[in-house]
Amino acid sequence: MSSTSSGQSAGQLETRGIEPVPEGECNGHPLQLFWVWFAANISILGLPLGATLVAFRGLAIWQAVIVAILGAAGSFAVVGIISIAGRRGRAPSLTLSRAIFGVRGNIGPTLVSLMSRLGWETVNTTTAAFVLLSLCSILFGTAVEAKSAPGLTLLFIAIFVLLTLAVSGLGHATLLVIQKWATYVFGALNILVGGFLCATIDWSAVFNATPAPLSAMIIGVGTMAAGTGIGWANAGADMSRYQHRSVKAARLVASAAFGAGIPLVLLITLGGLLSVGNDDLASATDPIIAIRDMLPTWMAVPYLITAFGGLLLSNNLSVYSAGLTTLTLGLKVKRVHAVIVDIVAIFAGSIYFMLIADSFYGPFITFISLLAVPITAWVGIFVVDLMHRHYYSPKDLLDVSPSSAYWYRGGVEWRAFGAWALAIVLGFSFTTIGTTAENIWFAGPLSDSWLGHNGLGWIVTFLVAGGIYAVLGGASDRRPALVERANV
């Protein structure tokens, strides 16, 4: 939806949708993005990621640190690269993607992105509701379970989604302020809880651990990248579209890599330390409860508050991005109404998984992890395109008719879409998908190869998508015509 006002003051409604931001309103700086990415990744649920590296991959702690830096901070550097497009084109990531895939061809990547966002938001919401139920159990001295207390469960889901709506609905300026100051509060609580968790570490086992082979580290890097930065890649330009034109590309990359990398590396490392000689955290079906049980009883309340806050900060950013992605699909409503649509979807999903379904985390997280393959293919093409494209036509980004310069052939840029589709097929060929080692949903024909066995299907996807698009010419031959068009 078009709007003449962006609502750039914190606490005021941002009325701009996916239309490019006018130059005069672009006054952002990289430190704002640093706090946004820091807040979105401060959740204590980063601990189970590190636990899997040590308990299941057998990494020594120094190896886990390296893997965390390369996988988590490195994948968020890619988010920073995509942020460069936001500074250039002044529009959300998936809206800019219309220039690459065509008005109709972009529907596929946009749908995948929206499903991924909604999926992780449902995970955040259900986990947060479980946190509040656990907090209730402590305060009232009796176990409170979701299905035995449906009214309370509905209330806790509603509390979380309404708090999310309050920030994501107001928009960009409010999000910047809330994410920054909430980071101080919940960051301090994380340090407090982390300090008590350190008391449970078996330090002698840490120093005596035998290093794992290089292949285990390679798998770990892929696991960390898929679980962190890759899932956020399509939100990069959503947050950077208000950045000032003078902001250097390197600073945008650094703001994402360091903003998300610092909390993730610390949390992943702590999770690894906790799991040396003890795989309880890595194998727990409910990591929130597993971590709580490691703490003194009196620390459980601040711990649960910390966990709730971290989930909320992550959800704020994700729902804001999902609203913009929904508009890119063509929904003709205001941005805040698109946010409400997404909120209703995750509210309904959380009710189903908490009150009706028999299981949730394993199958559902496996499903949304599948989406990492097409998202990675999109990232590969987007990054190659960014090397050549320095201009996005504001008018044509919003024009979904055949008159748009981004209509191409039948609304599809077949080089980009073809490279994306082929990379997805090849990526899944190297991939094994399942909730456990025994419950395999799908095993690609090349999953037993060295690349497949080492979990490198995502690298194949990235390289094939970007490589094919580059060989076919990509956007390099589109730039002169669009610049000429812009000067008319």
Side-chain angles (χ1 to χ4, degrees), residues 40 65 73 90 93 110 114 148 150 168 175 177 194 220 225 247 254 263 333 358 362 379 395 427 438 479 482:
V65 173
R90 304 301 182 196
S93 304
T110 305
L114 183 59
S148 63
S168 302
L175 190 67
V177 173
V247 172
V333 297
D358 293 328
V379 170
K395 172 183 176 295
E438 294 76 28
R479 182 177 55 173
L482 281 174

Side-chain angles (χ1 to χ4, degrees), residues 367-381:
F367 167 70
I368 53 183
S369 295
L370 288 176
L371 301 179
V373 173
I375 290 174
T376 302
W378 176 86
V379 170
I381 294 168

Side-chain angles (χ1 to χ4, degrees), residues 24-401:
E25 297 179 18
C26 298
N27 300 309
H29 53 83
L31 186 59
Q32 293 173 325
L33 300 184
F34 172 89
W35 290 117
V36 165
W37 295 120
F38 198 107
N41 291 279
I42 203 171
S43 170
I44 207 154
L45 289 181
L47 295 177
L49 284 174
T52 61
L53 293 178
V54 173
F56 295 155
R57 301 301 176 192
L59 301 186
I61 196 62
W62 63 268
Q63 292 177 307
V65 173
I66 293 174
V67 165
I69 293 171
L70 295 177
S75 64
F76 266 97
V78 176
V79 177
I81 291 172
I82 292 175
S83 297
I84 298 169
R87 188 207 61 192
R88 290 179 183 174
R90 304 301 182 196
S93 304
L94 271 301
T95 304
L96 296 174
S97 184
R98 286 176 174 174
I100 305 171
F101 289 87
V103 172
R104 290 178 173 173
N106 191 53
I107 293 174
T110 305
L111 278 173
V112 169
S113 176
L114 183 59
M115 286 191 294
S116 177
R117 290 266 67 85
L118 293 177
W120 287 114
E121 288 156 17
T122 304
V123 171
N124 286 341
T125 304
T126 54
T127 305
F130 279 125
V131 166
L132 293 181
L133 286 171
S134 183
L135 188 58
C136 243
S137 297
I138 293 173
L139 296 178
F140 296 117
T142 181
V144 180
E145 297 183 357
K147 292 183 179 180
S148 63
L152 201 57
T153 300
L154 288 173
L155 174 64
F156 290 158
I157 294 174
I159 288 173
F160 187 77
V161 298
L162 288 174
L163 288 173
T164 301
L165 177 62
V167 177
S168 302
L170 286 174
H172 185 270
T174 301
L175 190 67
L176 293 180
V177 173
I178 294 296
Q179 299 294 91
K180 176 182 177 180
W181 292 105
T183 297
Y184 292 141
V185 175
F186 292 107
L189 285 172
N190 267 281
I191 292 173
L192 177 65
V193 172
F196 278 89
L197 288 172
C198 284
T200 68
I201 296 171
D202 185 348
W203 291 103
S204 62
V206 169
F207 293 120
N208 293 325
T210 303
L214 179 62
S215 60
M217 294 183 66
I218 294 174
I219 295 173
V221 170
T223 302
M224 294 302 104
T228 55
I230 294 300
W232 283 107
N234 42 33
D238 299 358
M239 298 309 303
S240 65
R241 60 197 176 120
Y242 284 98
Q243 291 288 292
H244 194 275
R245 178 69 62 184
S246 64
V247 172
K248 301 296 184 183
R251 297 187 66 192
L252 290 175
V253 175
S255 67
F258 286 98
I262 290 173
L264 281 173
V265 170
L266 291 175
L267 288 167
I268 290 169
T269 300
L270 179 57
L273 288 168
L274 293 171
S275 294
V276 176
N278 181 0
D279 66 355
D280 289 348
L281 177 56
S283 59
T285 55
D286 186 345
I288 291 288
I289 299 300
I291 298 169
R292 189 194 71 183
D293 290 344
M294 298 178 184
L295 293 165
T297 303
W298 64 271
M299 270 297 297
V301 172
Y303 157 68
L304 292 170
I305 293 173
T306 303
F308 182 86
L311 291 164
L312 184 60
L313 293 177
S314 178
N315 225 45
N316 288 341
L317 181 57
S318 185
V319 170
Y320 176 77
S321 178
L324 297 174
T325 304
T326 301
L327 292 178
T328 302
L329 280 175
L331 192 64
K332 302 298 183 182
V333 297
K334 294 180 179 179
R335 184 199 61 81
V336 66
H337 294 158
V339 169
I340 293 173
V341 169
D342 296 322
I343 286 288
V344 170
I346 61 177
F347 185 82
S350 299
I351 291 173
Y352 173 78
F353 287 112
M354 292 191 75
L355 298 180
I356 301 174
D358 293 328
S359 62
F360 169 59
Y361 283 106
F364 197 60
I365 291 178
T366 298
F367 167 70
I368 53 183
S369 295
L370 288 176
L371 301 179
V373 173
I375 290 174
T376 302
W378 176 86
V379 170
I381 294 168
F382 196 99
V383 169
V384 169
D385 186 85
L386 187 63
M387 296 177 185
H388 300 286
R389 192 187 301 272
H390 295 271
Y391 174 78
Y392 298 85
S393 169
K395 172 183 176 295
D396 294 300
L397 285 174
L398 299 180
D399 185 358
V400 295
S401 73

